[in-house]
Every structure is written in C-alpha cells, then in structure tokens.
Amino acid sequence: MASQNMATARDKTGKIYKIRELLESKFEQEYEAEQRLIQMELEMQGKEANELMMTCDDEDPFEDTGDATIGDVLKILSSMSGQIGQLHRKMDHIQKEVEDVSIRVLRVEKKLGTTLATLEQVKDAVALGENAAGADAGEPPFEFEPVANEEQLNELDYRLATDSTYQSNLTNWLNKKILGEEPNGRLVEAMDLVFRREFLPLCSWKGRGKPGETKIPMSAQTHIMKLFTALGSNRFIAITDAFVAKFFLKKLPHAKDRLHVKRKNVTLANRPNSRPDSTQVQEYEVL
C-alpha cells in the first residue's frame, strides 16, 4: 500500500508502477524459461556424459537437482566442464593411438609387399632352375680324362683353342670339383684334376731337364695355361699368367717327389676357405 500510495502521490496516472510490474513479470517469465532451458540442457548433457560419469570417482552432479539453485547449476556445469575436458583428452589419446596403429599397419603392409615380391623372385628363380635342370637332364654328363701323355696334352691345348663350348664345359666342370678359395691351393687341385701324376715328371716349364735330357715344355701349352689362370682365380683375386708360370716353375721340378706323397681326402668339413655350395670330395696336398 505504501508503494502504491507513493506511486499515486508522485504519478497521478500510475503508469510508472504498471511499467514496473510488467518488467518484473517479464523478468520472472524469462527467468523461468531460462531455468527450463538449463534443465533441458542438463538432461541432454547428462545423457551424453553418462558413460564418462560412470568412470569418474566424483559424486553424481545430477543427484537431487529438483530444488537446484543458480549456485548448484554453476557447480554442475563446472563439474561437467572438467569431465568433458577429460573426455576430450581421452579422445585425443585414442586418436593418436589409432594414427600410430595405422602407421604400423602401413609399415607391415610395405614389408609384406616386399616379402611377397621376394617370394615371387625366388619362385621364378626356382622355376628357371627346374627348367634348366630339365633341359640338362637330356644331355649326357661332361666327362674328362686327365692327361697321361704328350699327345693328349697337345690335343687338349688345341681343343681349348678351337672349341669354345668344350672350353666352357671343362672350366665349369673343374670349378665344381675344386673346393679351395686360395689361389695356390686351387692351382694344386686343378693340376691333380687335369694331369696324371705319372705324366708331370716328364714335363718342365721350358722343356729343359738334366744334361742330355729333353722334357715336354709346359709353357708352350698357352691355352692350358689360360685355363689354369681362370681356375686359380677366386671371387676376390684374379691371378695373372706370371702367377701361373711361377706356380709351375716351382711345382714341376718336384713332380717326381709328389708321386710318393699320400693324398689327403678333403671335404667341406675339414677344408679351410672352402666353398659353401659344394659337397664333393677331392684329393689334394700342398707341398
């Protein structure tokens, strides 16, 4: 009544009072609408954050919200903001893990692709090997008899000079028989494969022997010497003609002594510097 009397005293028409009542009513309506909106938003956010809320140790912020005040609402919003931040951090962590897994998968796929390509190459190589083996199966095996006299020596040198196929086949056959890697050892093995021991005492490097004695000149067999140059070389060392000449100059004078030297059975198990891809047994010795 006092306010009404004051309004009447100051404002004969009462317009100011009516305007104030309208404003208060409007404020109350807006406040109620805002409260309903906040309540709806809280309910929606509560549903979305329900899974996260179950993993948190904090108390349920939606418990007893029937008589919630502005302070309670702010507290709830603050709590939800922290929980949403945790959810975002977890999502970022999961996304990073997914990216890391994707990178690892790409690396595995790349390695798998490389492995498959290698397997294809191996398969092709095996197929080629089988085809080559099938082609070789119809061909007779290569045979070679060690030189036992001067006629066979000259014939071998001539054939090496004129028949490239024979020269290639003989070189391959001897390389398969020779197990060593060191040049001197390879030449010793080659000498025992190409010549009979009984024949070598009849030879010297230049054909000179004791006074009144003539020997077969090994240096005249140029193509046989080229064969020994190829056989004495290994994967890392290519020997020269001079190396082969020095070898025969050293070995031929002792050829008769070698007739009485017992040969050793050499295998991959007891031979140093032997080839890993051969299983054949050879006899040799180094004087």
Side-chain angles (χ1 to χ4, degrees), residues 139-144 159 165-174:
E139 299 178 0
F142 183 82
E143 296 181 357
F144 176 78
R159 194 167 184 183
T165 301
Y166 179 81
Q167 185 268 341
S168 177
N169 290 337
L170 178 59
T171 302
N172 292 335
W173 183 82
L174 290 169

Side-chain angles (χ1 to χ4, degrees), residues 22-50:
L22 290 173
L23 290 174
E24 289 179 352
S25 176
K26 185 176 181 180
F27 288 157
E28 289 177 357
Q29 292 176 1
E30 291 178 353
Y31 177 77
E32 291 176 357
E34 185 177 0
Q35 286 289 91
R36 289 194 298 270
L37 180 60
I38 291 174
Q39 187 67 26
M40 292 175 61
E41 290 178 352
L42 290 176
E43 290 176 358
M44 293 177 62
Q45 292 174 358
K47 292 179 181 179
E48 295 175 354
N50 184 51

Side-chain angles (χ1 to χ4, degrees), residues 8 13 38 94 135 178 189 204 218 223 250 256:
T8 303
T13 61
I38 291 174
I94 293 173
I178 296 172
E189 292 184 67
S204 68
M218 189 65 73
H223 296 91
K250 180 180 178 181
K256 186 177 293 187

